Amino acid sequence: VAVSLTGIAGPDGGTDAKPVGLVYIGCARRGRETAVERHQFPGDRDAVRHASVVAALTLVLRQLG
């Protein structure tokens, strides 16, 4: 299993096209189609990072099930 995250956690770096809180999560598992999710998390940098990790681990668990 492989998981990846990319996005803008803030507090700076956001644009209209890529706002702070925008996160993409990918998960690949041999024998399955790669899953990709787009999220827009609210809050400050710590909140965005925390929500991103929770969402990534949830995606991994779904891929393993």
Side-chain angles (χ1 to χ4, degrees):
V1 174
V3 64
S4 63
L5 293 95
T6 188
I8 313 292
D12 300 320
T15 66
D16 287 340
K18 295 179 185 176
V20 170
L22 177 65
V23 177
Y24 286 89
I25 303 170
C27 185
R29 178 180 174 195
R30 184 176 17 231
R32 287 200 174 195
E33 190 170 328
T34 299
V36 178
E37 296 182 349
R38 179 189 188 277
H39 296 271
Q40 179 66 54
F41 297 116
D44 63 9
R45 181 178 182 83
D46 286 338
V48 171
R49 292 177 70 193
H50 178 81
S52 298
V53 169
V54 170
L57 292 174
T58 300
L59 180 57
V60 168
L61 289 174
R62 282 200 315 267
Q63 286 291 92
L64 291 176

